[in-house]
Amino acid sequence: MTVCVRWKRVLLQIPSICDVMHISFRKGAVSLERVRTFLRRSGTRPLYITLLWDDHNWIPVSVEYSDGPEEPTSREEIMAGVHLVLVIQELYAHVHRWREFTLRTTSVVQIYQALSLMSRPSIHPAHMLEKLHLQLIHNKNHATHHRHEQSLFPSSTPPIRDLLLFGVTCDWLPPSMLSSHLLNFWIHNKVYEIDDVVSHLFGGLPNLQSLSLEPEPQTIVSLSRRPITLPQLRSLAIKSRSMGNWAHDFLRNVCMPNLRILTLDGVGEEYSEEPLRWRGPSSHECILEALVELADRDAVENSLSYCLELDELHFFNFTQDAKAVLVHRLYKQMTAVKTLTLGPGAPDKNAALAKGLLPTPSGLADLPLPGLRTLILFDVPNDVVRGVVLERTSAAAPLKELYYREEVVDKKHKSISNDWSHHVGKYHCVDSLKSFRYGDIVERQWSQL
């Protein structure tokens, strides 16, 4: 638009170039005028909105969980909250045009302000909204909903396909939002029973394809015995420090016949100041036992359960020093797995899970994960990796792709030289451990040397 007057005039006549808005609290008072300009120039187009009100300076240093908002601690946070209210008020008048809406904040006050504004009755229903991401990040508090409060988007039935709640409880949602339209559902919040989350899965999500559960470690675990069916679910991610107490029941009681990608993250100690009350020498063994049962075709045929046929299996912070027999049985039964990740955070350096990949004297007839093509390894000793690569190659089951974070042998961060990397189709030496989404794990978007 700054090239010349003619170009500007032409561009202003194309509303489709003005229907995506990313705006930050750093714009201050100017943010409201930018929103008004955005709304005016976009005409009647569907709107794609992202509001970034996340500032690390607003993160409470040490606070206990509470059910209500805290008082703002700085003038900057107060003024940012005022600007956010004005922006959402302006946008909410056009809620019937919302196609995607994302709000990310570090302030519990601001998330309550936003939720309250979006719970007001509107002349126009949110009939186009397909993506809703509400995130209260880096904050131990959660935005809980009280019975006397309205749910989001009253008198509307938005066809939500993509829903993310981080630090926001499910009670803010109207029942109609969890419908057959929903395809992807991510939830991280403070729930007192896993049933509080699972109860939202009963019967109403026949087309759900991706589910991520991240209950916090304070969860008092129990799981309803009522069977749940998620017939179209293809990807399940569970991230919880108390996973050993309830995930095995979830896997057994939730029928997922089309599940192909499973990610299990026990969460490292660096993510919480709470003691690891649930961890023990067998905290994750029951999960492996559940996977063994579900992958056993003979056992499944004689029960009402489903047969687990995964394409991808990902372990992170999986602390179980698993029994070799159990790991081998699991790997032998999972004949369809093509990608395996043994991620960082395992105190035993993933030794048991990695050694389970070694062929047995029986050869191909008893080969663990016979369909394995891509292997992603962290914290695994170099000699174990060498044995896996060479022995699987000699057993006529070479890897097509290997991602490995090599061991560091000196302060100059030099890695151990290897004589086995040329035995795989493609070898990638991983440098960074950063992965921001479960999708990064699945797509193997790791930084490489």
Side-chain angles (χ1 to χ4, degrees):
M1 289 190 181
T2 60
V3 173
C4 65
V5 174
R6 181 171 174 268
W7 278 36
K8 182 176 182 179
R9 185 167 57 249
V10 172
L11 291 172
L12 288 177
Q13 295 174 358
I14 308 175
S16 60
I17 68 171
C18 297
D19 58 3
V20 177
M21 183 188 75
H22 289 74
I23 195 162
S24 166
F25 73 93
R26 292 180 176 85
K27 300 297 182 182
V30 179
S31 58
L32 181 58
E33 187 55 38
R34 292 205 171 195
V35 168
R36 288 172 176 166
T37 302
F38 162 75
L39 293 172
R40 183 177 65 255
R41 291 179 177 174
S42 59
T44 59
R45 295 276 305 176
L47 304 178
Y48 301 80
I49 303 166
T50 300
L51 304 180
L52 304 177
W53 252 251
D54 49 336
D55 189 336
H56 284 248
N57 294 322
W58 302 338
I59 301 172
V61 177
S62 180
V63 285
E64 298 296 327
Y65 282 101
S66 68
D67 291 331
E70 297 179 343
E71 290 298 321
T73 56
S74 68
R75 181 182 182 277
E76 289 74 17
E77 184 177 354
I78 295 173
M79 294 308 299
V82 171
H83 297 149
L84 179 62
V85 167
L86 294 174
V87 165
I88 292 184
Q89 284 178 334
E90 198 75 26
L91 291 172
Y92 195 66
H94 298 261
V95 69
H96 57 291
R97 296 170 53 200
W98 290 11
R99 179 63 55 81
E100 297 182 1
F101 181 84
T102 296
L103 170 63
R104 187 168 74 231
T105 178
T106 48
S107 168
V108 70
V109 173
Q110 292 170 9
I111 195 71
Y112 271 111
Q113 290 171 328
L115 292 170
S116 298
L117 290 171
M118 292 189 292
S119 301
R120 297 182 307 166
S122 173
I123 300 175
H124 307 290
H127 66 281
M128 297 179 62
L129 187 60
E130 295 182 353
K131 174 182 175 180
L132 179 64
H133 287 195
L134 301 173
Q135 305 171 59
L136 173 61
I137 60 173
H138 301 302
N139 198 309
K140 288 188 176 182
N141 291 285
H142 286 69
T144 56
H145 181 270
H146 297 283
R147 292 183 179 180
H148 67 276
E149 294 176 310
Q150 284 271 22
S151 299
L152 294 174
F153 312 114
S155 303
S156 295
T157 308
I160 300 292
R161 298 163 58 89
D162 195 327
L163 178 61
L164 185 150
L165 300 178
F166 196 102
V168 178
T169 62
C170 291
D171 297 331
W172 283 99
L173 306 177
S176 60
M177 191 175 290
L178 297 176
S179 68
S180 59
H181 295 286
L182 192 60
L183 301 180
N184 305 301
F185 188 19
W186 296 271
I187 180 167
H188 168 103
N189 62 31
K190 181 189 70 175
V191 289
Y192 295 101
E193 293 190 4
I194 194 63
D195 276 343
D196 294 343
V197 173
V198 174
S199 63
H200 292 277
L201 304 179
F202 287 124
L205 305 177
N207 297 315
L208 190 67
Q209 297 178 9
S210 175
L211 175 64
S212 177
L213 299 175
E214 300 186 28
E216 291 208 341
Q218 286 76 15
T219 303
I220 301 173
V221 290
S222 70
L223 190 63
S224 172
R225 299 298 174 183
R226 178 181 172 186
I228 305 169
T229 300
L230 299 174
Q232 301 301 322
L233 192 71
R234 293 189 58 83
S235 176
L236 171 66
I238 296 176
K239 181 176 181 179
S240 171
R241 298 175 74 208
S242 61
M243 180 169 53
N245 283 355
W246 60 271
H248 53 97
D249 280 343
F250 184 91
L251 292 169
R252 289 188 177 103
N253 292 320
V254 181
C255 183
M256 301 169 283
N258 284 305
L259 187 66
R260 295 296 179 265
I261 302 171
L262 177 62
T263 302
L264 299 173
D265 187 344
V267 185
E269 294 184 39
E270 67 272 18
Y271 293 100
S272 177
E273 298 176 357
E274 294 293 322
L276 300 181
R277 292 187 290 269
W278 299 280
R279 287 188 178 176
S282 61
S283 62
H284 292 155
E285 186 169 303
C286 55
I287 298 176
L288 294 178
E289 291 173 348
L291 294 177
V292 167
E293 292 175 15
L294 294 170
D296 188 339
R297 290 179 176 273
D298 295 331
V300 169
E301 287 177 0
N302 298 322
S303 69
L304 298 177
S305 187
Y306 64 100
C307 184
L308 190 63
E309 297 184 11
L310 296 176
D311 292 332
E312 302 189 13
L313 179 60
H314 308 279
F315 292 112
F316 290 82
N317 297 289
F318 210 75
T319 62
Q320 169 63 32
D321 188 6
K323 298 176 182 177
V325 175
L326 182 63
V327 174
H328 176 72
R329 185 181 172 192
L330 174 65
Y331 286 173
K332 180 185 175 183
Q333 291 174 173
M334 289 194 164
T335 58
V337 169
K338 299 179 180 63
T339 301
L340 174 69
T341 298
L342 302 182
D348 69 342
K349 291 183 176 291
N350 289 311
L353 294 174
K355 289 179 180 178
L357 295 169
L358 295 170
T360 63
S362 303
L364 288 175
D366 207 24
L367 183 67
L369 298 183
L372 186 64
R373 295 294 177 266
T374 300
L375 182 60
I376 308 169
L377 298 175
F378 293 84
D379 300 340
V380 179
N382 187 279
D383 61 323
V384 176
V385 179
R386 182 179 186 275
V388 169
V389 171
L390 297 181
E391 291 195 34
R392 289 186 72 93
T393 300
S394 64
L399 295 169
K400 288 188 176 181
E401 200 169 18
L402 173 63
Y403 291 73
Y404 177 46
R405 187 168 189 261
E406 297 181 355
E407 289 183 294
V408 176
V409 295
D410 58 32
K411 294 182 179 179
K412 294 182 180 179
H413 302 287
K414 292 184 178 179
S415 301
I416 297 175
S417 60
N418 65 69
D419 59 351
W420 43 260
S421 59
H422 62 280
H423 288 278
V424 298
K426 292 182 180 180
Y427 176 67
H428 309 274
C429 183
V430 176
D431 180 30
S432 173
L433 297 182
K434 292 182 180 179
S435 178
F436 300 101
R437 298 177 299 276
Y438 283 121
D440 292 343
I441 297 167
V442 174
E443 298 167 13
R444 299 178 293 282
Q445 295 177 0
W446 307 97
S447 299
Q448 299 170 23
L449 289 173

